[in-house]
Amino acid sequence: MTVIYGINPVLEALRAGRARRLRVGSRRDRRLNDVVTLAARLGVAIDHVDRAVLDRAARGGGHQGVVADIETPPEYALADLVSRAPGPTLIVVLDGIEDPQNAGAVLRTADAAGATGLVRQSRHAAALDGVVAKASAGALAHLPIATVVNVARAVEELKASGVWTVGLAAEAPERYDQVDLTLPTALVVGAEGTGLRRLVRERCDRLVAIPMLGAVESLNASVATGVVLYEAARQRGFPGWRPGGPLGPQGRVAS
């Protein structure tokens, strides 16, 4: 089991069928009542506890009155991420991103932009815990994740599966919007400051940059990933989107 906390992460875990037990505080608002009502309808056990219990379970971090025990996210292989795509593959590969806020924000954007899944390394990567779940606004419960031992080898495996690998690099001579992202694509993103490691960079089919027009030299990893993912979604015609639909103005808005 994994412990997650916060209204949106718990709500999405319930919707995904992965929550097994909730701990809920005494102070309620409409959103928390909605979570409790859904849990009761799904037959998920609910414990009513003091705030101190929630603080300990969430290690003091923004539980919003609810903590959940959920099943650990299922393990996926790289081949699963490629084969399950309803259209051209769109995968995010994280190379050495250890900050949980950044990792969670990437998950949130990848889910919103319609990515097929995410690849992370088993070492030197943010743990898939409550902090990442909260930062992802619940996307951790939905986006398939493959954990690999070696990112460079994973890039080679994706290429062998017919996936075009595009690395983000500040010094790349080509802009991100100058490549065809309608093809099956894996976007490879490195950590802030260090960027892609040499072996990973060398194995990418292409390297692209996001033009920086101001005084700062780079965007953080999650923002940069979002820029390129939405360019891919734009080039692909925003598949599945319709006004008022899941990605339209009446869709879910996570805070």
Side-chain angles (χ1 to χ4, degrees), residues 15-59:
R15 288 171 171 161
R18 290 179 43 217
R20 293 295 170 261
R21 179 176 293 274
L22 264 59
R23 282 163 277 176
V24 183
S26 57
R27 297 187 64 179
R28 304 279 185 84
D29 58 17
R30 180 187 58 79
R31 297 175 68 218
L32 186 51
N33 282 335
D34 289 344
V35 171
V36 173
T37 299
L38 178 58
R41 188 164 74 241
L42 295 174
V44 175
I46 303 171
D47 297 331
H48 299 275
V49 300
D50 295 333
R51 181 182 179 88
V53 174
L54 299 176
D55 289 341
R56 286 195 297 272
R59 299 177 184 175

Coordinates of all heavy atoms in Angstrom, one line a residue, residues 15-59:
R15 N -11.7 7.1 -8.0 CA -12.2 7.0 -9.4 C -11.5 5.9 -10.1 O -12.1 5.2 -11.0 CB -12.1 8.3 -10.1 CG -13.1 9.3 -9.7 CD -12.8 10.7 -10.3 NE -13.9 11.7 -10.0 CZ -13.8 13.0 -10.1 NH1 -12.6 13.5 -10.5 NH2 -14.8 13.8 -9.9
A16 N -10.2 5.7 -9.8 CA -9.4 4.7 -10.5 C -9.6 3.3 -9.9 O -9.0 2.3 -10.3 CB -7.9 5.1 -10.5
G17 N -10.3 3.2 -8.7 CA -10.6 2.0 -8.1 C -9.4 1.4 -7.3 O -9.3 0.2 -7.0
R18 N -8.5 2.3 -6.8 CA -7.3 1.9 -6.2 C -7.3 2.2 -4.7 O -6.4 1.7 -3.9 CB -6.1 2.5 -6.8 CG -5.8 1.9 -8.2 CD -4.6 2.5 -8.9 NE -3.5 2.7 -7.9 CZ -2.7 3.7 -7.9 NH1 -2.9 4.7 -8.8 NH2 -1.7 3.8 -7.1
A19 N -8.2 3.0 -4.2 CA -8.3 3.4 -2.7 C -8.8 2.2 -1.9 O -9.9 1.6 -2.3 CB -9.1 4.6 -2.5
R20 N -8.2 1.9 -0.8 CA -8.7 0.8 0.0 C -9.2 1.3 1.4 O -10.0 0.6 2.0 CB -7.5 -0.2 0.2 CG -7.2 -0.9 -1.1 CD -8.4 -1.8 -1.6 NE -8.2 -2.3 -2.9 CZ -8.7 -1.8 -4.0 NH1 -9.4 -0.7 -3.9 NH2 -8.5 -2.3 -5.2
R21 N -8.7 2.4 1.9 CA -9.1 2.9 3.2 C -8.9 4.4 3.3 O -7.8 4.8 2.8 CB -8.4 2.2 4.3 CG -8.8 2.6 5.8 CD -8.1 1.8 6.8 NE -8.6 0.5 6.8 CZ -9.7 0.0 7.5 NH1 -10.4 0.9 8.2 NH2 -10.0 -1.2 7.5
L22 N -9.9 5.1 3.8 CA -9.7 6.5 4.0 C -9.7 6.9 5.5 O -10.3 6.2 6.3 CB -10.9 7.3 3.4 CG -10.8 7.8 2.0 CD1 -10.5 6.7 1.0 CD2 -12.0 8.6 1.6
R23 N -8.9 7.9 5.8 CA -8.9 8.5 7.1 C -9.3 9.9 7.0 O -8.7 10.7 6.2 CB -7.5 8.4 7.8 CG -7.2 7.0 8.4 CD -5.7 6.8 8.7 NE -5.0 6.4 7.5 CZ -3.7 6.3 7.4 NH1 -3.0 6.5 8.5 NH2 -3.1 5.9 6.3
V24 N -10.4 10.3 7.6 CA -11.0 11.6 7.4 C -11.1 12.4 8.7 O -11.5 11.8 9.8 CB -12.4 11.4 6.8 CG1 -13.0 12.8 6.5 CG2 -12.3 10.6 5.5
G25 N -10.8 13.7 8.7 CA -11.0 14.5 9.9 C -12.4 15.0 10.1 O -13.3 14.7 9.3
S26 N -12.6 15.6 11.2 CA -14.0 16.0 11.6 C -14.4 17.3 10.9 O -15.6 17.5 10.7 CB -14.0 16.3 13.1 OG -13.1 17.3 13.5
R27 N -13.5 18.1 10.4 CA -13.9 19.4 9.7 C -14.2 19.1 8.3 O -13.3 18.5 7.6 CB -12.9 20.5 9.9 CG -12.7 20.9 11.3 CD -11.7 22.1 11.4 NE -12.3 23.2 10.8 CZ -11.7 24.4 10.8 NH1 -10.5 24.6 11.3 NH2 -12.2 25.4 10.2
R28 N -15.3 19.4 7.8 CA -15.7 19.0 6.4 C -16.1 20.3 5.6 O -16.6 21.3 6.2 CB -16.9 18.1 6.4 CG -16.7 16.8 7.2 CD -16.0 15.8 6.4 NE -15.9 14.5 7.2 CZ -16.9 13.6 7.2 NH1 -18.0 13.8 6.5 NH2 -16.7 12.5 7.9
D29 N -15.9 20.2 4.3 CA -16.5 21.2 3.4 C -17.2 20.4 2.3 O -17.2 19.1 2.3 CB -15.5 22.2 2.9 CG -14.3 21.5 2.1 OD1 -14.4 20.3 1.8 OD2 -13.3 22.1 1.9
R30 N -17.7 21.0 1.3 CA -18.5 20.3 0.2 C -17.6 19.3 -0.5 O -18.0 18.2 -0.8 CB -19.0 21.3 -0.7 CG -19.8 20.7 -1.9 CD -20.3 21.7 -2.9 NE -19.1 22.4 -3.5 CZ -18.3 21.9 -4.4 NH1 -18.5 20.7 -4.9 NH2 -17.3 22.7 -4.9
R31 N -16.3 19.8 -0.8 CA -15.4 18.9 -1.6 C -15.1 17.6 -0.8 O -15.0 16.5 -1.4 CB -14.2 19.7 -2.0 CG -14.5 20.8 -3.0 CD -13.3 21.6 -3.3 NE -12.3 20.9 -4.1 CZ -11.0 20.9 -4.0 NH1 -10.5 21.6 -3.0 NH2 -10.2 20.2 -4.7
L32 N -14.8 17.8 0.5 CA -14.4 16.7 1.3 C -15.7 15.7 1.5 O -15.5 14.5 1.4 CB -13.9 17.1 2.6 CG -13.3 16.0 3.5 CD1 -12.4 15.1 2.8 CD2 -12.7 16.6 4.8
N33 N -16.8 16.3 1.6 CA -18.1 15.5 1.7 C -18.3 14.7 0.4 O -18.7 13.6 0.5 CB -19.3 16.4 1.9 CG -19.4 16.9 3.4 OD1 -18.9 16.2 4.3 ND2 -20.0 18.0 3.6
D34 N -17.9 15.3 -0.7 CA -18.0 14.6 -2.0 C -17.1 13.3 -2.0 O -17.5 12.3 -2.5 CB -17.7 15.5 -3.2 CG -18.8 16.5 -3.5 OD1 -19.9 16.4 -2.9 OD2 -18.4 17.5 -4.2
V35 N -15.9 13.5 -1.5 CA -14.9 12.4 -1.4 C -15.5 11.3 -0.5 O -15.5 10.1 -0.9 CB -13.6 12.9 -0.9 CG1 -12.7 11.7 -0.6 CG2 -12.9 13.8 -1.9
V36 N -16.0 11.7 0.7 CA -16.6 10.7 1.6 C -17.8 10.0 1.0 O -17.9 8.7 1.1 CB -16.9 11.3 2.9 CG1 -17.7 10.4 3.9 CG2 -15.7 11.9 3.6
T37 N -18.6 10.7 0.3 CA -19.8 10.1 -0.3 C -19.4 9.1 -1.4 O -20.0 8.0 -1.4 CB -20.7 11.2 -0.9 OG1 -21.1 12.1 0.1 CG2 -21.9 10.6 -1.6
L38 N -18.4 9.4 -2.2 CA -18.0 8.5 -3.2 C -17.4 7.3 -2.6 O -17.6 6.1 -3.1 CB -17.0 9.2 -4.2 CG -16.4 8.3 -5.3 CD1 -17.5 7.8 -6.2 CD2 -15.4 9.1 -6.1
A39 N -16.5 7.5 -1.6 CA -15.9 6.3 -0.9 C -17.0 5.4 -0.4 O -16.9 4.1 -0.5 CB -15.0 6.8 0.2
A40 N -18.0 5.9 0.3 CA -19.0 5.1 0.9 C -19.8 4.4 -0.2 O -20.1 3.2 -0.1 CB -20.0 6.0 1.7
R41 N -20.1 5.0 -1.4 CA -20.7 4.4 -2.5 C -19.9 3.2 -3.0 O -20.5 2.2 -3.5 CB -21.1 5.4 -3.5 CG -22.0 4.8 -4.6 CD -22.6 5.9 -5.5 NE -21.7 6.6 -6.4 CZ -21.3 7.8 -6.4 NH1 -21.9 8.6 -5.5 NH2 -20.5 8.3 -7.2
L42 N -18.6 3.4 -3.0 CA -17.7 2.3 -3.6 C -17.4 1.2 -2.5 O -16.7 0.3 -2.9 CB -16.4 3.0 -4.1 CG -16.6 3.9 -5.3 CD1 -15.2 4.6 -5.6 CD2 -17.1 3.2 -6.5
G43 N -17.9 1.4 -1.3 CA -17.6 0.4 -0.3 C -16.2 0.5 0.3 O -15.7 -0.5 0.9
V44 N -15.5 1.6 0.2 CA -14.2 1.8 0.7 C -14.3 2.2 2.2 O -15.2 3.0 2.6 CB -13.5 3.0 0.0 CG1 -12.1 3.2 0.6 CG2 -13.3 2.6 -1.5
A45 N -13.5 1.5 3.1 CA -13.6 1.7 4.5 C -13.2 3.2 4.8 O -12.3 3.7 4.2 CB -12.6 0.8 5.2
I46 N -13.9 3.8 5.8 CA -13.7 5.1 6.2 C -13.5 5.2 7.7 O -14.3 4.8 8.5 CB -14.8 6.1 5.8 CG1 -15.1 6.0 4.3 CG2 -14.6 7.5 6.2 CD1 -16.4 6.7 3.8
D47 N -12.3 5.7 8.1 CA -12.1 5.9 9.6 C -12.1 7.4 9.9 O -11.5 8.2 9.1 CB -10.7 5.4 9.9 CG -10.5 3.9 9.7 OD1 -11.6 3.2 9.8 OD2 -9.4 3.4 9.4
H48 N -12.8 7.8 10.9 CA -12.9 9.2 11.3 C -11.9 9.4 12.4 O -12.0 8.8 13.5 CB -14.3 9.5 11.8 CG -15.4 9.3 10.7 ND1 -15.7 10.3 9.8 CD2 -16.1 8.2 10.4 CE1 -16.6 9.8 8.9 NE2 -16.9 8.6 9.3
V49 N -10.9 10.3 12.2 CA -9.8 10.4 13.1 C -9.5 11.9 13.4 O -10.1 12.8 12.8 CB -8.5 9.8 12.4 CG1 -8.7 8.3 12.1 CG2 -8.2 10.6 11.1
D50 N -8.7 12.1 14.4 CA -8.3 13.4 14.8 C -7.3 14.0 13.8 O -6.6 13.3 13.1 CB -7.6 13.4 16.2 CG -8.5 13.0 17.3 OD1 -9.8 13.2 17.1 OD2 -8.1 12.5 18.3
R51 N -7.2 15.3 13.8 CA -6.3 16.0 12.8 C -4.9 15.5 13.1 O -4.1 15.4 12.1 CB -6.4 17.5 13.0 CG -5.5 18.3 12.1 CD -5.6 19.8 12.3 NE -4.7 20.4 11.3 CZ -5.0 20.8 10.1 NH1 -6.2 20.6 9.7 NH2 -4.1 21.4 9.4
A52 N -4.5 15.3 14.3 CA -3.1 14.8 14.6 C -2.8 13.6 13.9 O -1.6 13.4 13.4 CB -2.9 14.7 16.1
V53 N -3.7 12.7 13.7 CA -3.5 11.4 13.0 C -3.2 11.7 11.5 O -2.3 11.1 10.9 CB -4.7 10.5 13.2 CG1 -4.5 9.2 12.3 CG2 -4.9 10.1 14.6
L54 N -4.0 12.6 11.0 CA -3.8 13.0 9.6 C -2.5 13.7 9.4 O -1.8 13.4 8.4 CB -4.9 13.9 9.1 CG -6.4 13.4 9.2 CD1 -7.4 14.4 8.8 CD2 -6.5 12.1 8.3
D55 N -2.1 14.5 10.3 CA -0.8 15.2 10.2 C 0.4 14.3 10.2 O 1.3 14.4 9.4 CB -0.6 16.2 11.4 CG -1.5 17.4 11.3 OD1 -2.0 17.7 10.1 OD2 -1.8 18.1 12.3
R56 N 0.3 13.2 11.1 CA 1.4 12.2 11.1 C 1.4 11.4 9.8 O 2.5 11.1 9.3 CB 1.2 11.3 12.3 CG 1.5 11.9 13.6 CD 1.7 10.9 14.7 NE 0.4 10.2 15.0 CZ -0.5 10.5 15.8 NH1 -0.4 11.7 16.5 NH2 -1.6 9.8 16.0
A57 N 0.2 11.0 9.3 CA 0.2 10.2 8.1 C 0.7 10.9 6.9 O 1.4 10.4 6.1 CB -1.2 9.7 7.9
A58 N 0.4 12.2 6.8 CA 0.8 13.0 5.7 C 2.1 13.8 6.0 O 2.6 14.6 5.2 CB -0.3 14.1 5.4
R59 N 2.8 13.5 7.1 CA 4.0 14.1 7.5 C 3.9 15.6 7.5 O 4.8 16.3 7.1 CB 5.2 13.6 6.6 CG 5.4 12.1 6.7 CD 6.5 11.7 5.7 NE 6.6 10.2 5.8 CZ 7.4 9.6 5.0 NH1 8.2 10.2 4.1 NH2 7.5 8.2 5.0

